[in-house]
Amino acid sequence: AQKITQTQPGMFVQEKEAVTLDCTYDTSDPSYGLFWYKQPSSGEMIFLIYQGSYDQQNATEGRYSLNFQKARKSANLVISASQLGDSAMYFCAMRVTNTGNQFYFGTGTSLTVIP
Amino acid sequence: DTEVTQTPKHLVMGMTNKKSLKCEQHMGHRAMYWYKQKAKKPPELMFVYSYEKLSINESVPSRFSPECPNSSLLNLHLHALQPEDSALYLCASSPTTSGTHNEQFFGPGTRLTVL
């Protein structure tokens, strides 16, 4: 069975500080992809960053980086220099080859950036 | 054009009404998805179309009827809905359904209220 776990229902961070959002996953398939999405209150899901199970290096996209620890099955999102516009819901998701490439979403973390 | 559009943005309907949600993308993607999302919950997969054919139906009640007229369009026909069907309905697309590095691009969603 495939599973994504986000244990932080809500997080607060001071503006300009860095924050780490936790994500752990479980799959027996060696081929999988991990994604992070941001969902502001407007509702649209915005793709942030991707990490493949065979990627040797941690993914980075601007202020977003993914701390991928394969042995621990964790894929934490690090947001550097937080901005007020980063306040949103963040979802970790996994796509597994052997399950028809369905997306499995975590329960999400609500991030609030404090001025 | 890297956009998925959805219409309408908001919809209020009675339990006896028939309405349709529309989704469109012009990225040449061959996979399209419908999700249902309740407040503060992750999206739940409803349907997947791959190359204009229905490939996944996650045991969705028949009052929801998907349709894919061509590779750019995806409709969701609604009939005899229940108040508990009120939710944000998200459409997404991806290049294909195969391969783990296939991020889904989401539309802004339709907020549906069933009275």
Side-chain angles (χ1 to χ4, degrees), chain B residues 44-81:
Chain B
E44 299 173 28
L45 183 66
M46 299 175 72
F47 303 103
V48 180
Y49 273 84
S50 180
Y51 292 87
E52 297 148 58
K53 292 186 179 178
L54 183 65
S55 61
I56 295 176
N57 177 342
E58 289 287 350
S59 303
V60 179
S62 60
R63 57 186 184 269
F64 295 92
S65 175
E67 178 196 19
C68 190
N70 59 55
S71 60
S72 300
L73 291 173
L74 186 65
N75 298 322
L76 186 63
H77 303 297
L78 314 173
H79 173 55
L81 294 193

PDB file of all heavy atoms in Angstrom, chain B residues 44-81:
ATOM      1  N   GLU B  44      -9.305  14.368  -3.579  1.00  0.00           N
ATOM      2  CA  GLU B  44      -9.632  12.952  -3.765  1.00  0.00           C
ATOM      3  C   GLU B  44      -9.834  12.708  -5.250  1.00  0.00           C
ATOM      4  O   GLU B  44     -10.657  13.378  -5.893  1.00  0.00           O
ATOM      5  CB  GLU B  44     -10.931  12.598  -3.033  1.00  0.00           C
ATOM      6  CG  GLU B  44     -10.910  12.802  -1.541  1.00  0.00           C
ATOM      7  CD  GLU B  44     -12.297  12.586  -0.944  1.00  0.00           C
ATOM      8  OE1 GLU B  44     -13.088  11.807  -1.527  1.00  0.00           O
ATOM      9  OE2 GLU B  44     -12.612  13.202   0.081  1.00  0.00           O
ATOM     10  N   LEU B  45      -9.121  11.748  -5.779  1.00  0.00           N
ATOM     11  CA  LEU B  45      -9.239  11.439  -7.197  1.00  0.00           C
ATOM     12  C   LEU B  45     -10.621  10.867  -7.509  1.00  0.00           C
ATOM     13  O   LEU B  45     -11.120   9.993  -6.789  1.00  0.00           O
ATOM     14  CB  LEU B  45      -8.158  10.436  -7.606  1.00  0.00           C
ATOM     15  CG  LEU B  45      -8.122  10.063  -9.087  1.00  0.00           C
ATOM     16  CD1 LEU B  45      -7.743  11.264  -9.945  1.00  0.00           C
ATOM     17  CD2 LEU B  45      -7.152   8.905  -9.313  1.00  0.00           C
ATOM     18  N   MET B  46     -11.214  11.392  -8.599  1.00  0.00           N
ATOM     19  CA  MET B  46     -12.515  10.862  -9.042  1.00  0.00           C
ATOM     20  C   MET B  46     -12.342  10.056 -10.328  1.00  0.00           C
ATOM     21  O   MET B  46     -12.725   8.903 -10.404  1.00  0.00           O
ATOM     22  CB  MET B  46     -13.489  12.014  -9.281  1.00  0.00           C
ATOM     23  CG  MET B  46     -13.792  12.865  -8.068  1.00  0.00           C
ATOM     24  SD  MET B  46     -14.828  14.279  -8.481  1.00  0.00           S
ATOM     25  CE  MET B  46     -16.413  13.488  -8.774  1.00  0.00           C
ATOM     26  N   PHE B  47     -11.807  10.712 -11.360  1.00  0.00           N
ATOM     27  CA  PHE B  47     -11.685  10.099 -12.673  1.00  0.00           C
ATOM     28  C   PHE B  47     -10.341  10.465 -13.300  1.00  0.00           C
ATOM     29  O   PHE B  47      -9.804  11.537 -13.061  1.00  0.00           O
ATOM     30  CB  PHE B  47     -12.786  10.597 -13.622  1.00  0.00           C
ATOM     31  CG  PHE B  47     -14.187  10.375 -13.146  1.00  0.00           C
ATOM     32  CD1 PHE B  47     -14.927  11.430 -12.625  1.00  0.00           C
ATOM     33  CD2 PHE B  47     -14.783   9.121 -13.236  1.00  0.00           C
ATOM     34  CE1 PHE B  47     -16.230  11.237 -12.189  1.00  0.00           C
ATOM     35  CE2 PHE B  47     -16.076   8.921 -12.800  1.00  0.00           C
ATOM     36  CZ  PHE B  47     -16.803   9.972 -12.278  1.00  0.00           C
ATOM     37  N   VAL B  48      -9.856   9.537 -14.153  1.00  0.00           N
ATOM     38  CA  VAL B  48      -8.675   9.792 -14.968  1.00  0.00           C
ATOM     39  C   VAL B  48      -8.999   9.431 -16.406  1.00  0.00           C
ATOM     40  O   VAL B  48      -9.538   8.350 -16.669  1.00  0.00           O
ATOM     41  CB  VAL B  48      -7.454   8.972 -14.512  1.00  0.00           C
ATOM     42  CG1 VAL B  48      -6.247   9.284 -15.412  1.00  0.00           C
ATOM     43  CG2 VAL B  48      -7.114   9.248 -13.062  1.00  0.00           C
ATOM     44  N   TYR B  49      -8.691  10.344 -17.314  1.00  0.00           N
ATOM     45  CA  TYR B  49      -8.779  10.073 -18.741  1.00  0.00           C
ATOM     46  C   TYR B  49      -7.369  10.038 -19.304  1.00  0.00           C
ATOM     47  O   TYR B  49      -6.567  10.927 -19.059  1.00  0.00           O
ATOM     48  CB  TYR B  49      -9.591  11.153 -19.460  1.00  0.00           C
ATOM     49  CG  TYR B  49     -11.070  10.878 -19.474  1.00  0.00           C
ATOM     50  CD1 TYR B  49     -11.864  11.234 -18.396  1.00  0.00           C
ATOM     51  CD2 TYR B  49     -11.668  10.250 -20.564  1.00  0.00           C
ATOM     52  CE1 TYR B  49     -13.229  10.970 -18.406  1.00  0.00           C
ATOM     53  CE2 TYR B  49     -13.028   9.986 -20.583  1.00  0.00           C
ATOM     54  CZ  TYR B  49     -13.803  10.345 -19.488  1.00  0.00           C
ATOM     55  OH  TYR B  49     -15.146  10.075 -19.498  1.00  0.00           O
ATOM     56  N   SER B  50      -7.108   8.993 -20.079  1.00  0.00           N
ATOM     57  CA  SER B  50      -5.829   8.864 -20.739  1.00  0.00           C
ATOM     58  C   SER B  50      -6.091   8.697 -22.235  1.00  0.00           C
ATOM     59  O   SER B  50      -6.800   7.748 -22.627  1.00  0.00           O
ATOM     60  CB  SER B  50      -5.062   7.658 -20.190  1.00  0.00           C
ATOM     61  OG  SER B  50      -3.819   7.508 -20.825  1.00  0.00           O
ATOM     62  N   TYR B  51      -5.553   9.590 -23.034  1.00  0.00           N
ATOM     63  CA  TYR B  51      -5.798   9.578 -24.479  1.00  0.00           C
ATOM     64  C   TYR B  51      -7.298   9.507 -24.767  1.00  0.00           C
ATOM     65  O   TYR B  51      -7.758   8.709 -25.587  1.00  0.00           O
ATOM     66  CB  TYR B  51      -5.035   8.430 -25.143  1.00  0.00           C
ATOM     67  CG  TYR B  51      -3.541   8.632 -25.111  1.00  0.00           C
ATOM     68  CD1 TYR B  51      -2.773   8.218 -24.023  1.00  0.00           C
ATOM     69  CD2 TYR B  51      -2.889   9.271 -26.163  1.00  0.00           C
ATOM     70  CE1 TYR B  51      -1.407   8.448 -23.981  1.00  0.00           C
ATOM     71  CE2 TYR B  51      -1.524   9.494 -26.126  1.00  0.00           C
ATOM     72  CZ  TYR B  51      -0.796   9.083 -25.036  1.00  0.00           C
ATOM     73  OH  TYR B  51       0.555   9.305 -25.003  1.00  0.00           O
ATOM     74  N   GLU B  52      -8.030  10.337 -24.051  1.00  0.00           N
ATOM     75  CA  GLU B  52      -9.469  10.536 -24.231  1.00  0.00           C
ATOM     76  C   GLU B  52     -10.319   9.330 -23.843  1.00  0.00           C
ATOM     77  O   GLU B  52     -11.525   9.316 -24.128  1.00  0.00           O
ATOM     78  CB  GLU B  52      -9.780  10.959 -25.675  1.00  0.00           C
ATOM     79  CG  GLU B  52      -9.154  12.296 -26.028  1.00  0.00           C
ATOM     80  CD  GLU B  52      -8.762  12.388 -27.502  1.00  0.00           C
ATOM     81  OE1 GLU B  52      -9.662  12.217 -28.331  1.00  0.00           O
ATOM     82  OE2 GLU B  52      -7.572  12.629 -27.800  1.00  0.00           O
ATOM     83  N   LYS B  53      -9.711   8.366 -23.189  1.00  0.00           N
ATOM     84  CA  LYS B  53     -10.483   7.219 -22.712  1.00  0.00           C
ATOM     85  C   LYS B  53     -10.440   7.167 -21.197  1.00  0.00           C
ATOM     86  O   LYS B  53      -9.385   7.419 -20.584  1.00  0.00           O
ATOM     87  CB  LYS B  53      -9.929   5.923 -23.302  1.00  0.00           C
ATOM     88  CG  LYS B  53     -10.133   5.792 -24.793  1.00  0.00           C
ATOM     89  CD  LYS B  53      -9.693   4.431 -25.293  1.00  0.00           C
ATOM     90  CE  LYS B  53      -9.941   4.332 -26.803  1.00  0.00           C
ATOM     91  NZ  LYS B  53      -9.486   3.041 -27.349  1.00  0.00           N
ATOM     92  N   LEU B  54     -11.573   6.828 -20.612  1.00  0.00           N
ATOM     93  CA  LEU B  54     -11.639   6.737 -19.162  1.00  0.00           C
ATOM     94  C   LEU B  54     -10.781   5.572 -18.696  1.00  0.00           C
ATOM     95  O   LEU B  54     -11.014   4.424 -19.084  1.00  0.00           O
ATOM     96  CB  LEU B  54     -13.099   6.550 -18.722  1.00  0.00           C
ATOM     97  CG  LEU B  54     -13.344   6.512 -17.216  1.00  0.00           C
ATOM     98  CD1 LEU B  54     -12.999   7.844 -16.572  1.00  0.00           C
ATOM     99  CD2 LEU B  54     -14.798   6.140 -16.934  1.00  0.00           C
ATOM    100  N   SER B  55      -9.782   5.860 -17.868  1.00  0.00           N
ATOM    101  CA  SER B  55      -8.890   4.793 -17.418  1.00  0.00           C
ATOM    102  C   SER B  55      -9.071   4.477 -15.935  1.00  0.00           C
ATOM    103  O   SER B  55      -8.788   3.371 -15.496  1.00  0.00           O
ATOM    104  CB  SER B  55      -7.425   5.151 -17.699  1.00  0.00           C
ATOM    105  OG  SER B  55      -7.053   6.332 -17.005  1.00  0.00           O
ATOM    106  N   ILE B  56      -9.512   5.438 -15.168  1.00  0.00           N
ATOM    107  CA  ILE B  56      -9.752   5.212 -13.743  1.00  0.00           C
ATOM    108  C   ILE B  56     -11.058   5.883 -13.330  1.00  0.00           C
ATOM    109  O   ILE B  56     -11.300   7.047 -13.651  1.00  0.00           O
ATOM    110  CB  ILE B  56      -8.595   5.753 -12.870  1.00  0.00           C
ATOM    111  CG1 ILE B  56      -7.304   4.988 -13.149  1.00  0.00           C
ATOM    112  CG2 ILE B  56      -8.955   5.673 -11.383  1.00  0.00           C
ATOM    113  CD1 ILE B  56      -6.094   5.520 -12.399  1.00  0.00           C
ATOM    114  N   ASN B  57     -11.893   5.124 -12.648  1.00  0.00           N
ATOM    115  CA  ASN B  57     -13.107   5.638 -12.015  1.00  0.00           C
ATOM    116  C   ASN B  57     -13.042   5.154 -10.579  1.00  0.00           C
ATOM    117  O   ASN B  57     -13.172   3.962 -10.320  1.00  0.00           O
ATOM    118  CB  ASN B  57     -14.350   5.109 -12.727  1.00  0.00           C
ATOM    119  CG  ASN B  57     -15.645   5.544 -12.060  1.00  0.00           C
ATOM    120  OD1 ASN B  57     -15.663   5.964 -10.903  1.00  0.00           O
ATOM    121  ND2 ASN B  57     -16.731   5.452 -12.795  1.00  0.00           N
ATOM    122  N   GLU B  58     -12.840   6.090  -9.663  1.00  0.00           N
ATOM    123  CA  GLU B  58     -12.639   5.703  -8.277  1.00  0.00           C
ATOM    124  C   GLU B  58     -13.979   5.479  -7.568  1.00  0.00           C
ATOM    125  O   GLU B  58     -14.267   6.096  -6.541  1.00  0.00           O
ATOM    126  CB  GLU B  58     -11.809   6.766  -7.542  1.00  0.00           C
ATOM    127  CG  GLU B  58     -10.366   6.806  -7.961  1.00  0.00           C
ATOM    128  CD  GLU B  58      -9.573   5.614  -7.429  1.00  0.00           C
ATOM    129  OE1 GLU B  58     -10.095   4.865  -6.589  1.00  0.00           O
ATOM    130  OE2 GLU B  58      -8.430   5.425  -7.866  1.00  0.00           O
ATOM    131  N   SER B  59     -14.792   4.592  -8.131  1.00  0.00           N
ATOM    132  CA  SER B  59     -16.081   4.231  -7.515  1.00  0.00           C
ATOM    133  C   SER B  59     -16.931   5.462  -7.211  1.00  0.00           C
ATOM    134  O   SER B  59     -17.503   5.594  -6.120  1.00  0.00           O
ATOM    135  CB  SER B  59     -15.858   3.425  -6.225  1.00  0.00           C
ATOM    136  OG  SER B  59     -15.098   2.274  -6.485  1.00  0.00           O
ATOM    137  N   VAL B  60     -16.962   6.349  -8.182  1.00  0.00           N
ATOM    138  CA  VAL B  60     -17.720   7.586  -8.011  1.00  0.00           C
ATOM    139  C   VAL B  60     -19.199   7.322  -8.310  1.00  0.00           C
ATOM    140  O   VAL B  60     -19.516   6.617  -9.277  1.00  0.00           O
ATOM    141  CB  VAL B  60     -17.177   8.672  -8.961  1.00  0.00           C
ATOM    142  CG1 VAL B  60     -17.971   9.968  -8.823  1.00  0.00           C
ATOM    143  CG2 VAL B  60     -15.695   8.912  -8.686  1.00  0.00           C
ATOM    144  N   PRO B  61     -20.111   7.877  -7.513  1.00  0.00           N
ATOM    145  CA  PRO B  61     -21.549   7.669  -7.778  1.00  0.00           C
ATOM    146  C   PRO B  61     -21.939   8.121  -9.174  1.00  0.00           C
ATOM    147  O   PRO B  61     -21.357   9.066  -9.730  1.00  0.00           O
ATOM    148  CB  PRO B  61     -22.219   8.543  -6.703  1.00  0.00           C
ATOM    149  CG  PRO B  61     -21.202   8.696  -5.636  1.00  0.00           C
ATOM    150  CD  PRO B  61     -19.880   8.672  -6.305  1.00  0.00           C
ATOM    151  N   SER B  62     -22.935   7.483  -9.725  1.00  0.00           N
ATOM    152  CA  SER B  62     -23.337   7.743 -11.111  1.00  0.00           C
ATOM    153  C   SER B  62     -23.947   9.119 -11.310  1.00  0.00           C
ATOM    154  O   SER B  62     -24.144   9.540 -12.455  1.00  0.00           O
ATOM    155  CB  SER B  62     -24.326   6.672 -11.572  1.00  0.00           C
ATOM    156  OG  SER B  62     -25.476   6.697 -10.747  1.00  0.00           O
ATOM    157  N   ARG B  63     -24.215   9.834 -10.239  1.00  0.00           N
ATOM    158  CA  ARG B  63     -24.719  11.199 -10.405  1.00  0.00           C
ATOM    159  C   ARG B  63     -23.618  12.131 -10.928  1.00  0.00           C
ATOM    160  O   ARG B  63     -23.896  13.265 -11.311  1.00  0.00           O
ATOM    161  CB  ARG B  63     -25.312  11.729  -9.099  1.00  0.00           C
ATOM    162  CG  ARG B  63     -24.380  11.732  -7.906  1.00  0.00           C
ATOM    163  CD  ARG B  63     -25.161  12.157  -6.660  1.00  0.00           C
ATOM    164  NE  ARG B  63     -24.312  12.272  -5.484  1.00  0.00           N
ATOM    165  CZ  ARG B  63     -24.089  11.270  -4.635  1.00  0.00           C
ATOM    166  NH1 ARG B  63     -24.647  10.091  -4.841  1.00  0.00           N
ATOM    167  NH2 ARG B  63     -23.323  11.465  -3.575  1.00  0.00           N
ATOM    168  N   PHE B  64     -22.384  11.644 -10.933  1.00  0.00           N
ATOM    169  CA  PHE B  64     -21.266  12.341 -11.566  1.00  0.00           C
ATOM    170  C   PHE B  64     -20.924  11.592 -12.850  1.00  0.00           C
ATOM    171  O   PHE B  64     -20.598  10.393 -12.800  1.00  0.00           O
ATOM    172  CB  PHE B  64     -20.029  12.368 -10.665  1.00  0.00           C
ATOM    173  CG  PHE B  64     -20.213  13.147  -9.401  1.00  0.00           C
ATOM    174  CD1 PHE B  64     -20.647  12.522  -8.245  1.00  0.00           C
ATOM    175  CD2 PHE B  64     -19.937  14.502  -9.366  1.00  0.00           C
ATOM    176  CE1 PHE B  64     -20.818  13.231  -7.064  1.00  0.00           C
ATOM    177  CE2 PHE B  64     -20.092  15.229  -8.193  1.00  0.00           C
ATOM    178  CZ  PHE B  64     -20.536  14.591  -7.046  1.00  0.00           C
ATOM    179  N   SER B  65     -20.952  12.281 -13.978  1.00  0.00           N
ATOM    180  CA  SER B  65     -20.694  11.621 -15.250  1.00  0.00           C
ATOM    181  C   SER B  65     -19.628  12.397 -16.010  1.00  0.00           C
ATOM    182  O   SER B  65     -19.869  13.516 -16.463  1.00  0.00           O
ATOM    183  CB  SER B  65     -21.996  11.554 -16.063  1.00  0.00           C
ATOM    184  OG  SER B  65     -21.746  11.036 -17.338  1.00  0.00           O
ATOM    185  N   PRO B  66     -18.437  11.809 -16.192  1.00  0.00           N
ATOM    186  CA  PRO B  66     -17.387  12.533 -16.905  1.00  0.00           C
ATOM    187  C   PRO B  66     -17.519  12.348 -18.414  1.00  0.00           C
ATOM    188  O   PRO B  66     -18.123  11.385 -18.895  1.00  0.00           O
ATOM    189  CB  PRO B  66     -16.115  11.863 -16.389  1.00  0.00           C
ATOM    190  CG  PRO B  66     -16.538  10.443 -16.134  1.00  0.00           C
ATOM    191  CD  PRO B  66     -17.966  10.503 -15.698  1.00  0.00           C
ATOM    192  N   GLU B  67     -16.924  13.286 -19.116  1.00  0.00           N
ATOM    193  CA  GLU B  67     -16.915  13.206 -20.573  1.00  0.00           C
ATOM    194  C   GLU B  67     -15.658  13.889 -21.084  1.00  0.00           C
ATOM    195  O   GLU B  67     -15.290  14.958 -20.595  1.00  0.00           O
ATOM    196  CB  GLU B  67     -18.158  13.912 -21.154  1.00  0.00           C
ATOM    197  CG  GLU B  67     -18.204  13.912 -22.675  1.00  0.00           C
ATOM    198  CD  GLU B  67     -19.188  14.926 -23.226  1.00  0.00           C
ATOM    199  OE1 GLU B  67     -19.570  15.864 -22.478  1.00  0.00           O
ATOM    200  OE2 GLU B  67     -19.554  14.807 -24.408  1.00  0.00           O
ATOM    201  N   CYS B  68     -15.013  13.271 -22.074  1.00  0.00           N
ATOM    202  CA  CYS B  68     -13.815  13.866 -22.662  1.00  0.00           C
ATOM    203  C   CYS B  68     -14.023  13.987 -24.162  1.00  0.00           C
ATOM    204  O   CYS B  68     -13.704  13.060 -24.914  1.00  0.00           O
ATOM    205  CB  CYS B  68     -12.590  13.004 -22.348  1.00  0.00           C
ATOM    206  SG  CYS B  68     -11.020  13.764 -22.770  1.00  0.00           S
ATOM    207  N   PRO B  69     -14.592  15.091 -24.634  1.00  0.00           N
ATOM    208  CA  PRO B  69     -14.923  15.231 -26.059  1.00  0.00           C
ATOM    209  C   PRO B  69     -13.705  15.226 -26.972  1.00  0.00           C
ATOM    210  O   PRO B  69     -13.777  14.749 -28.105  1.00  0.00           O
ATOM    211  CB  PRO B  69     -15.635  16.590 -26.135  1.00  0.00           C
ATOM    212  CG  PRO B  69     -15.985  16.937 -24.733  1.00  0.00           C
ATOM    213  CD  PRO B  69     -14.992  16.261 -23.857  1.00  0.00           C
ATOM    214  N   ASN B  70     -12.593  15.768 -26.497  1.00  0.00           N
ATOM    215  CA  ASN B  70     -11.342  15.727 -27.255  1.00  0.00           C
ATOM    216  C   ASN B  70     -10.176  15.879 -26.284  1.00  0.00           C
ATOM    217  O   ASN B  70     -10.384  15.996 -25.072  1.00  0.00           O
ATOM    218  CB  ASN B  70     -11.318  16.818 -28.339  1.00  0.00           C
ATOM    219  CG  ASN B  70     -11.474  18.216 -27.785  1.00  0.00           C
ATOM    220  OD1 ASN B  70     -10.704  18.626 -26.913  1.00  0.00           O
ATOM    221  ND2 ASN B  70     -12.477  18.949 -28.270  1.00  0.00           N
ATOM    222  N   SER B  71      -8.978  15.897 -26.803  1.00  0.00           N
ATOM    223  CA  SER B  71      -7.804  15.859 -25.927  1.00  0.00           C
ATOM    224  C   SER B  71      -7.632  17.119 -25.097  1.00  0.00           C
ATOM    225  O   SER B  71      -6.842  17.130 -24.155  1.00  0.00           O
ATOM    226  CB  SER B  71      -6.541  15.608 -26.761  1.00  0.00           C
ATOM    227  OG  SER B  71      -6.367  16.647 -27.710  1.00  0.00           O
ATOM    228  N   SER B  72      -8.338  18.192 -25.435  1.00  0.00           N
ATOM    229  CA  SER B  72      -8.178  19.449 -24.703  1.00  0.00           C
ATOM    230  C   SER B  72      -9.281  19.715 -23.691  1.00  0.00           C
ATOM    231  O   SER B  72      -9.152  20.597 -22.851  1.00  0.00           O
ATOM    232  CB  SER B  72      -8.142  20.641 -25.681  1.00  0.00           C
ATOM    233  OG  SER B  72      -7.074  20.514 -26.581  1.00  0.00           O
ATOM    234  N   LEU B  73     -10.372  18.984 -23.814  1.00  0.00           N
ATOM    235  CA  LEU B  73     -11.558  19.297 -23.018  1.00  0.00           C
ATOM    236  C   LEU B  73     -11.954  18.145 -22.109  1.00  0.00           C
ATOM    237  O   LEU B  73     -11.864  16.974 -22.495  1.00  0.00           O
ATOM    238  CB  LEU B  73     -12.734  19.614 -23.939  1.00  0.00           C
ATOM    239  CG  LEU B  73     -12.663  20.909 -24.747  1.00  0.00           C
ATOM    240  CD1 LEU B  73     -13.829  20.976 -25.719  1.00  0.00           C
ATOM    241  CD2 LEU B  73     -12.666  22.121 -23.836  1.00  0.00           C
ATOM    242  N   LEU B  74     -12.414  18.518 -20.935  1.00  0.00           N
ATOM    243  CA  LEU B  74     -12.928  17.533 -19.995  1.00  0.00           C
ATOM    244  C   LEU B  74     -14.147  18.134 -19.313  1.00  0.00           C
ATOM    245  O   LEU B  74     -14.097  19.266 -18.839  1.00  0.00           O
ATOM    246  CB  LEU B  74     -11.864  17.184 -18.943  1.00  0.00           C
ATOM    247  CG  LEU B  74     -12.183  16.060 -17.964  1.00  0.00           C
ATOM    248  CD1 LEU B  74     -12.298  14.725 -18.695  1.00  0.00           C
ATOM    249  CD2 LEU B  74     -11.109  15.975 -16.886  1.00  0.00           C
ATOM    250  N   ASN B  75     -15.232  17.391 -19.324  1.00  0.00           N
ATOM    251  CA  ASN B  75     -16.461  17.854 -18.682  1.00  0.00           C
ATOM    252  C   ASN B  75     -16.826  16.938 -17.527  1.00  0.00           C
ATOM    253  O   ASN B  75     -16.457  15.756 -17.505  1.00  0.00           O
ATOM    254  CB  ASN B  75     -17.624  17.857 -19.687  1.00  0.00           C
ATOM    255  CG  ASN B  75     -17.390  18.799 -20.843  1.00  0.00           C
ATOM    256  OD1 ASN B  75     -16.845  19.885 -20.675  1.00  0.00           O
ATOM    257  ND2 ASN B  75     -17.810  18.394 -22.044  1.00  0.00           N
ATOM    258  N   LEU B  76     -17.564  17.489 -16.584  1.00  0.00           N
ATOM    259  CA  LEU B  76     -18.135  16.684 -15.517  1.00  0.00           C
ATOM    260  C   LEU B  76     -19.601  17.062 -15.415  1.00  0.00           C
ATOM    261  O   LEU B  76     -19.941  18.186 -15.035  1.00  0.00           O
ATOM    262  CB  LEU B  76     -17.417  16.937 -14.188  1.00  0.00           C
ATOM    263  CG  LEU B  76     -17.834  16.044 -13.017  1.00  0.00           C
ATOM    264  CD1 LEU B  76     -17.512  14.579 -13.321  1.00  0.00           C
ATOM    265  CD2 LEU B  76     -17.132  16.471 -11.729  1.00  0.00           C
ATOM    266  N   HIS B  77     -20.461  16.123 -15.795  1.00  0.00           N
ATOM    267  CA  HIS B  77     -21.896  16.364 -15.784  1.00  0.00           C
ATOM    268  C   HIS B  77     -22.463  15.959 -14.429  1.00  0.00           C
ATOM    269  O   HIS B  77     -22.149  14.879 -13.901  1.00  0.00           O
ATOM    270  CB  HIS B  77     -22.580  15.580 -16.907  1.00  0.00           C
ATOM    271  CG  HIS B  77     -22.033  15.909 -18.262  1.00  0.00           C
ATOM    272  ND1 HIS B  77     -22.134  17.172 -18.825  1.00  0.00           N
ATOM    273  CD2 HIS B  77     -21.364  15.148 -19.166  1.00  0.00           C
ATOM    274  CE1 HIS B  77     -21.568  17.179 -20.009  1.00  0.00           C
ATOM    275  NE2 HIS B  77     -21.092  15.963 -20.251  1.00  0.00           N
ATOM    276  N   LEU B  78     -23.292  16.851 -13.892  1.00  0.00           N
ATOM    277  CA  LEU B  78     -23.821  16.673 -12.542  1.00  0.00           C
ATOM    278  C   LEU B  78     -25.333  16.545 -12.590  1.00  0.00           C
ATOM    279  O   LEU B  78     -26.006  17.335 -13.266  1.00  0.00           O
ATOM    280  CB  LEU B  78     -23.442  17.883 -11.678  1.00  0.00           C
ATOM    281  CG  LEU B  78     -21.993  18.372 -11.767  1.00  0.00           C
ATOM    282  CD1 LEU B  78     -21.830  19.676 -10.998  1.00  0.00           C
ATOM    283  CD2 LEU B  78     -21.045  17.309 -11.262  1.00  0.00           C
ATOM    284  N   HIS B  79     -25.850  15.568 -11.876  1.00  0.00           N
ATOM    285  CA  HIS B  79     -27.307  15.370 -11.884  1.00  0.00           C
ATOM    286  C   HIS B  79     -27.742  14.766 -10.564  1.00  0.00           C
ATOM    287  O   HIS B  79     -27.164  13.793 -10.104  1.00  0.00           O
ATOM    288  CB  HIS B  79     -27.689  14.448 -13.041  1.00  0.00           C
ATOM    289  CG  HIS B  79     -29.143  14.067 -13.017  1.00  0.00           C
ATOM    290  ND1 HIS B  79     -30.165  14.985 -12.986  1.00  0.00           N
ATOM    291  CD2 HIS B  79     -29.748  12.847 -13.018  1.00  0.00           C
ATOM    292  CE1 HIS B  79     -31.323  14.359 -12.972  1.00  0.00           C
ATOM    293  NE2 HIS B  79     -31.108  13.071 -12.995  1.00  0.00           N
ATOM    294  N   ALA B  80     -28.780  15.352  -9.989  1.00  0.00           N
ATOM    295  CA  ALA B  80     -29.361  14.830  -8.734  1.00  0.00           C
ATOM    296  C   ALA B  80     -28.318  14.735  -7.634  1.00  0.00           C
ATOM    297  O   ALA B  80     -28.187  13.699  -6.965  1.00  0.00           O
ATOM    298  CB  ALA B  80     -30.020  13.470  -8.979  1.00  0.00           C
ATOM    299  N   LEU B  81     -27.565  15.815  -7.455  1.00  0.00           N
ATOM    300  CA  LEU B  81     -26.532  15.813  -6.427  1.00  0.00           C
ATOM    301  C   LEU B  81     -27.122  15.969  -5.037  1.00  0.00           C
ATOM    302  O   LEU B  81     -28.276  16.386  -4.869  1.00  0.00           O
ATOM    303  CB  LEU B  81     -25.532  16.939  -6.695  1.00  0.00           C
ATOM    304  CG  LEU B  81     -24.688  16.826  -7.949  1.00  0.00           C
ATOM    305  CD1 LEU B  81     -23.536  17.827  -7.901  1.00  0.00           C
ATOM    306  CD2 LEU B  81     -24.148  15.420  -8.154  1.00  0.00           C
TER     307      LEU B  81
END
